[in-house]
Amino acid sequence: MSLPKAELHLHIEGTLEPELAFELAARNGVALPYADTDELREAYRFEDLQSFLNLYYELMAVLRTESDFEELADAYLARAAAQGVRHAEIFFDPQAHISRGVEMGTVVEGLGRALDRGEAVHGVSTRLIMCFLRDESAESAMETLEAAKPYLGAGRIVGVGLDSAEVGHPPRKFREVYEAAAAMGLRRVAHAGEEGPPAYIVEALDVLGVERIDHGLRCMEDPELVARLVRDRVPLTLCPLSNVRLRAVDVLAEHPLVAMLDAGLVCTVNSDDPAYFGGYAGDNFDAVREALGLSRERLRELARNSFVAAFLDDDEERRARYLAEVEAYEFGG
Ligand code: HPA
Ligand code: ZN
């Protein structure tokens, strides 16, 4: 669906399509334990978050040079633009690269080369948000924040997030890192309530001071928390196809998106790891429209929310322009 939208929950490493993975593997002399792209696609059957993460980290081994990261981001921007994405706040996982000997600068400069052309070539404005791996130590996260210092600011890293295996790694583990990030003027988000309990969402708000919750699906188990999220207008970056593939919900028709919107939550729809979960941002919109019978006004509400929730405070004119595009959009069919 080409309805104009912002994508606020997208892991750039999760946009690595099998074809590009094999191309980069050949170029970099990395052996992949799959015969071809079909066999690799066959491996895209997940039981839960961890089973996905295992493959996600394994395939990253093919990403080695600035050009690799540039091509990855270029390919994402082209696909996103074709599905109506006008603004993307892109996550990346520096620790997953640094631990393989690929430096922060290689990742950020490589991605940055593509993002710098994002608007001119694809009509997509961008921001970068670096995520800490919550199953790594707080010390490692702090070192990663230090390593990012040369790359902070407009056009590069504007915020921090928290991802990877959630259960057993509560937000409070990263209190000091988030305090340091806030002192550096960085925006704060965190994955919470994907597989973890509603209490992790509360902690992300109270202890880490996050401005948006990534996923946040399980807030629905805690009415008091829902009331708080509604009152404070805390945006949730939902990823419906991801939720089905990682079995957070059984089938899309049972996704709580409608109940969440009815409750007054500021929901957005995003793709998470589109190469793995069966679709990009527009595909996620199409899928929920179909499975949940969303009206045009509901779809427009989701798109509007995405721009309201975007970190565009430094460019309100742009936000207003995008919001006007949402209102002017004419649905086909
Ligand atoms: N959840 C947690 N960590 C992740 C995800 C996700 O959906 N995608 C990439 N890393
Ligand atoms: Zn995610």
Side-chain angles (χ1 to χ4, degrees):
M1 183 182 301
S2 60
L3 173 65
K5 59 185 80 64
E7 174 137 78
L8 306 177
H9 187 155
L10 179 279
H11 303 263
I12 196 68
E13 296 90 345
T15 69
L16 180 59
E17 294 283 347
E19 291 73 20
L20 183 58
F22 272 92
E23 199 182 311
L24 297 181
R27 189 197 294 168
N28 293 327
V30 176
L32 288 177
Y34 305 93
D36 52 31
T37 53
D38 287 341
E39 199 180 304
L40 176 53
R41 276 210 168 81
E42 278 297 302
Y44 289 8
R45 293 169 201 277
F46 310 113
E47 304 296 318
D48 54 15
L49 175 58
Q50 189 59 56
S51 62
F52 154 69
L53 290 171
N54 294 343
L55 183 62
Y56 171 80
Y57 292 126
E58 180 181 32
L59 269 200
M60 272 183 215
V62 304
L63 295 163
R64 300 224 57 97
T65 68
E66 274 189 35
S67 296
D68 299 342
F69 286 94
E70 179 182 8
E71 278 180 51
L72 181 70
D74 239 338
Y76 163 67
L77 290 172
R79 288 194 163 94
Q83 298 198 0
V85 172
R86 303 285 285 110
H87 176 76
E89 301 191 351
I90 298 174
F91 295 145
F92 70 110
D93 286 328
Q95 286 155 294
H97 307 301
I98 293 169
S99 64
R100 306 182 286 114
V102 178
E103 288 174 24
M104 177 73 84
T106 304
V107 182
V108 179
E109 293 300 349
L111 295 175
R113 276 199 225 155
L115 303 192
D116 286 348
R117 300 190 299 266
E119 187 136 38
V121 176
H122 306 288
V124 182
S125 53
T126 57
R127 305 277 188 268
L128 273 181
I129 297 177
M130 67 166 194
C131 289
F132 304 116
L133 303 183
R134 65 201 309 154
D135 43 355
E136 299 287 332
S137 68
E139 291 72 31
S140 170
M142 197 64 103
E143 283 166 21
T144 309
L145 184 61
E146 272 301 310
K149 272 189 176 159
Y151 310 104
L152 305 184
R156 292 292 182 267
I157 302 168
V158 302
V160 296
L162 192 60
D163 64 4
S164 200
E166 186 181 6
V167 175
H169 302 284
R172 64 176 174 275
K173 180 171 158 188
F174 298 95
R175 175 205 295 267
E176 286 176 9
V177 186
Y178 270 67
E179 279 171 4
M184 290 158 72
L186 290 165
R187 312 300 294 260
R188 289 164 288 170
V189 300
H191 284 53
E194 179 185 20
E195 286 191 346
Y200 282 18
I201 300 174
V202 175
E203 244 183 52
L205 295 168
D206 288 343
V207 180
L208 304 184
V210 303
E211 302 169 79
R212 299 195 298 242
I213 296 286
D214 297 314
H215 292 297
L217 204 63
R218 290 190 58 193
C219 75
M220 295 303 276
E221 296 167 28
D222 180 347
E224 230 176 272
L225 172 58
V226 170
R228 174 184 181 178
L229 294 168
V230 169
R231 185 195 66 218
D232 295 344
R233 300 201 53 74
V234 179
L236 306 178
T237 63
L238 300 173
C239 308
L241 289 175
S242 164
N243 295 150
V244 175
R245 292 299 184 98
L246 300 188
R247 317 239 182 133
V249 301
D250 289 335
V251 291
L252 204 50
E254 288 170 21
H255 196 282
L257 173 63
V258 173
M260 296 174 90
L261 287 169
D262 285 344
L265 289 161
V266 182
C267 298
T268 66
V269 163
N270 308 270
S271 68
D272 209 3
D273 300 283
Y276 294 88
F277 300 151
Y280 286 77
D283 300 319
N284 273 269
F285 270 74
D286 287 337
V288 291
R289 177 187 206 177
E290 172 84 21
L292 303 173
L294 292 191
S295 67
R296 293 173 176 188
E297 262 330 290
R298 269 281 147 93
L299 295 164
R300 216 186 289 277
E301 178 184 354
L302 289 168
R304 200 181 290 129
N305 286 348
S306 72
F307 292 117
V308 168
F311 292 148
L312 280 168
D313 313 55
D314 59 346
D315 197 350
E316 290 296 347
E317 213 174 282
R318 178 184 298 276
R319 192 199 311 274
R321 207 161 61 234
Y322 289 153
L323 282 167
E325 285 183 30
V326 173
E327 301 315 319
Y329 181 77
E330 289 181 24
F331 287 89

